[in-house]
Amino acid sequence: DAGVIQSPRHEVTEMGQEVTLRCKPISGHDYLFWYRQTMMRGLELLIYFNNNVPIDDSGMPEDRFSAKMPNASFSTLKIQPSEPRDSAVYFCASSSRGSGNTEAFFGQGTRLTVV
Amino acid sequence: AQKVTQAQTEISVVEKEDVTLDCVYETRDTTYYLFWYKQPPSGELVFLIRRNSFDEQNEISGRYSWNFQKSTSSFNFTITASQVVDSAVYFCALSDLVSGYSTLTFGKGTMLLVSP
């Protein structure tokens, strides 16, 4: 399996611009997560989906952030407008509950820099 | 609320030394899962182990071993005969009923530096 695939790996954008991060989960996984990693706050959950339905978006910092999962193989995280404080590494992860809880597999992350 | 504490921010050792990374967690649930992830300098997060709260047996995988003690709410990770390739940030994480056993609460991580 190719694992969780995120694009782009690096994104540099100017403040005020729209940014879209993309994620392809592992085939067959029914959970998809978006996490953000910063030096100050560490790894924190932004939102997660189960069977393409958003379950908990309480971690989304502001209305500027939105996430969608139009089908089982694709999700996006959008920031509009972007701000310098959004600079972070954004990870997508997927997992499969199956017969029991299983670990989440992470993508390589997207390093976002907003200048 | 659930919480994971990794008190060691950074550890430096010389190759072949043994090193233990500490993890202490808080949860109100009786059923929960604990994890360790490794983040090498390349940045990805690599899953190492999952342990459920009913299984207190220690686990060994090659040079890695994990000590789960429910009585002290700890899930410590030991690397025996460390190697330079072990240099990374290691995260302990918790998944419990509050999260539907789906999402992870991470500790702040411990950076391990192994020098030759």
Side-chain angles (χ1 to χ4, degrees):
Chain A
D1 201 320
V4 177
I5 300 173
Q6 291 185 246
S7 64
R9 290 291 311 279
H10 301 274
E11 177 79 36
V12 180
T13 190
E14 291 185 349
M15 182 174 63
Q17 296 298 307
E18 175 182 304
V19 176
T20 299
L21 311 182
R22 298 173 175 79
C23 175
K24 176 179 168 55
I26 293 173
S27 177
H29 281 189
D30 53 351
Y31 282 82
L32 183 139
F33 311 87
W34 284 99
Y35 287 87
R36 180 172 68 174
Q37 184 178 31
T38 61
M39 289 294 294
M40 291 297 295
R41 299 174 67 90
L43 277 156
E44 53 183 348
L45 176 72
L46 298 178
I47 185 172
Y48 79 97
F49 297 82
N50 176 219
N51 292 322
N52 313 339
V53 176
I55 303 300
D56 184 356
D57 65 354
S58 60
M60 298 284 261
E62 300 171 33
D63 291 344
R64 298 184 295 106
F65 286 70
S66 62
K68 294 182 180 179
M69 192 166 185
N71 57 62
S73 59
F74 184 65
S75 176
T76 59
L77 178 67
K78 183 181 292 186
I79 308 173
Q80 180 184 23
S82 58
E83 296 182 2
R85 59 191 166 130
D86 302 330
S87 297
V89 180
Y90 292 81
F91 286 100
C92 176
S94 69
S95 70
S96 173
R97 289 291 292 272
S99 59
N101 180 265
T102 65
E103 61 276 11
F105 293 92
F106 284 76
Q108 292 195 299
T110 295
R111 181 174 295 278
L112 173 65
T113 303
V114 183
V115 298
Chain B
Q2 63 273 51
K3 184 180 178 182
V4 177
T5 301
Q6 295 180 254
Q8 304 150 308
T9 304
E10 184 174 322
I11 301 175
S12 293
V13 299
V14 177
E15 210 169 17
K16 297 184 183 177
E17 285 185 23
D18 298 348
V19 58
T20 295
L21 310 181
D22 298 333
C23 173
V24 174
Y25 61 92
E26 294 176 28
T27 177
R28 295 179 181 175
D29 297 325
T30 55
T31 301
Y32 50 89
Y33 296 84
L34 296 162
F35 304 80
W36 277 94
Y37 283 84
K38 174 182 179 180
Q39 187 174 39
S42 50
E44 71 272 25
L45 280 161
V46 178
F47 165 77
L48 295 178
I49 190 172
R50 178 193 64 184
R51 172 68 69 219
N52 74 54
S53 54
F54 294 110
D55 182 1
E56 291 195 67
Q57 284 190 345
N58 292 330
E59 182 157 338
I60 298 175
S61 175
R63 298 183 297 105
Y64 294 172
S65 62
W66 291 269
N67 181 276
F68 175 33
Q69 292 198 337
K70 218 169 177 179
S71 59
T72 57
S73 297
S74 65
F75 186 42
N76 297 337
F77 174 29
T78 297
I79 302 174
T80 303
S82 60
Q83 300 176 1
V84 172
V85 293
D86 295 328
S87 296
V89 180
Y90 291 86
F91 292 95
C92 182
L94 167 71
S95 178
D96 61 8
L97 179 62
V98 172
S99 69
Y101 304 112
S102 299
T103 62
L104 298 169
T105 298
F106 284 91
K108 294 293 188 185
T110 297
M111 179 178 288
L112 174 64
L113 300 172
V114 183
S115 55

